[in-house]
Amino acid sequence: MGGKYRITGDKYPRMRRPRRRGRLLLAAVAAVVALGLIGWGTIQLIDVFGGSDDAKKKTAAAKHDCPTPSASPSTATAAAALPKPGQITVNVYNATPRGGLAKETADELKKRGFAIGKVGNAPEEYDKKVTGNGILLGAPGATRGAFSVLGTQLKGAAQKVDGRTSPDVDLILGSSFQALDPAQQASTALATLTKPAAQPAKC
């Protein structure tokens, strides 16, 4: 070109095309990533709400293998160590002014399976001096067995030990005593006492 606008030198201006190709490529990559994320999210939702077959099988197997409730060793041993009513000899003494109470109570205990020893009036140490339903009196070892079993027949009886070495225990009837607990109630209490407690299974 001549005139005012004359090009000199060996360099010429170049016309660049718009960078559309790079933008299109970037958009395509973003679309692929978005579709992948949507697909992954859909699979996760199906697993959460529907559950896979493997997960269901594992859950069913875990339930099947779950152990049944069982008694703890310490509880089972304690229950087994308690004597049966027939192994407990009970001496029944009346510390109240009412006549015939000791024999009546002894007869009822015999019906409930207890062995009966002596029956009569309470020794002077306790005669007319026992408040409440009564006192269970025996050797120190009785507190770990005989007292618990005999106590199911009469709620509220106090426990006391003495220096005897024999396994028999005394039931001294107090001023508030009316009768032994109802037979059905006492039987339920005894069954609960001697039955090992089941522990819940942990799965």
Side-chain angles (χ1 to χ4, degrees), residues 68-162:
T68 55
S70 59
S72 64
S74 59
T75 306
T77 302
L82 291 172
K84 298 182 181 302
Q87 297 174 314
I88 301 174
T89 299
V90 185
N91 304 313
V92 184
Y93 297 114
N94 182 9
T96 76
R98 291 169 287 169
L101 200 58
K103 185 179 185 308
E104 179 182 333
T105 303
D107 290 343
E108 182 60 28
L109 284 174
K110 187 175 182 179
K111 290 179 184 178
R112 300 183 184 187
F114 289 86
I116 302 301
K118 299 177 181 179
V119 179
N121 294 326
E124 183 178 355
E125 179 184 358
Y126 296 100
D127 192 26
K128 312 296 189 305
K129 300 173 185 177
V130 178
T131 58
N133 280 341
I135 294 176
L136 303 181
L137 182 64
T143 59
R144 297 187 295 272
F147 282 177
S148 297
V149 176
L150 184 56
T152 61
Q153 310 301 306
L154 180 62
K155 291 181 180 178
Q159 298 182 7
K160 187 176 180 180
V161 299
D162 57 16

Side-chain angles (χ1 to χ4, degrees), residues 173-194:
L173 306 177
S175 58
S176 299
F177 178 83
Q178 297 297 324
L180 295 173
D181 292 346
Q184 184 60 44
Q185 179 179 327
S187 178
T188 300
L190 181 59
T192 302
L193 177 68
T194 56

Side-chain angles (χ1 to χ4, degrees), residues 35-47:
L35 289 174
L37 290 174
I38 292 173
W40 181 82
T42 302
I43 293 173
Q44 294 300 315
L45 288 174
I46 292 174
D47 288 342

